[in-house]
Amino acid sequence: MKREKYGYIYRTHLFGNRTVRVTGADNVKQILLGEHRLVSAQWPASVRAILGTETLSNVHGAQHKTKKKAILRAFSREALELYIPVIQEEVQAAAEQGMDLQSLNIESLEQLKYTGCVIKETLRINPPVPGGFRVALKTFELNGYQIPKGWNVVYSICDTHDVAEIFPDKEDFQPERFLTDPCADSSRFQYIPFGGGSRMCIGKEFAKVLLKVFLVEVVTKCHWTLLNGPPTMKTGPTVYPEDNLPTKFTSYVHN
């Protein structure tokens, strides 16, 4: 409602602090690529307390670079390959289109193109977090608006997806829209479920593998029914179903 009233950039108060809320690919791009130059990551005190002061989200400069480099090794392609058997033990992943348990690996998961599209469309509609927090390191101009030094800047992932021009019929669940990749330059910051720039979520590839394995298990092993129908999604701070998603699962009967 505020976006419709005030536009893609407007000032507000959040957690008692003067804040500028930013939406739209071009505007968000400037914020995400302006890390260390225009803005710096700064989450609310409650989030910093929960995550810890030494976590990757809360450190800066050389310390952030060093920690990020070390952690990324845990999410390399080689590391993800080693995680798959563990994921299989947790969710008993099975087959899709004839795939058996032994053949499930990074390469075979990458062949599940439509499954990947379903995951991407889900993350478009309900990204894991609604946005990110920054603080202005200096006074700067963003699309004709002046953002004062010291003000908080919140970029919205949800709203940016909602106004993205590359997604027609935004209210519809259409995984097919991802079967054809749009021009990278035009779409890079219109779809940002894992953020972007130097602060992009480093666990995004692990998340994609986990979601694919889980989805393969669900669609090949059972029927399911949402007892309350499609849920209303809430954010606080991550996205979750308001009714906790009560679901009835029934195993397939194999003859």
Side-chain angles (χ1 to χ4, degrees), residues 62-82:
Q63 188 179 12
H64 176 263
K65 185 176 181 180
T66 301
K67 280 181 175 286
K68 181 179 179 180
K69 183 177 180 180
I71 296 173
L72 277 173
R73 291 198 293 269
F75 297 112
S76 66
R77 185 182 179 90
E78 293 76 15
L80 292 176
E81 196 78 66
L82 297 175

Side-chain angles (χ1 to χ4, degrees), residues 87 90-91 109 205-215:
I87 298 173
E90 291 173 353
V91 298
L109 288 176
E205 295 304 324
F206 175 75
K208 292 176 184 177
V209 168
L210 185 61
L211 288 170
K212 271 192 176 181
V213 172
F214 176 77
L215 189 55

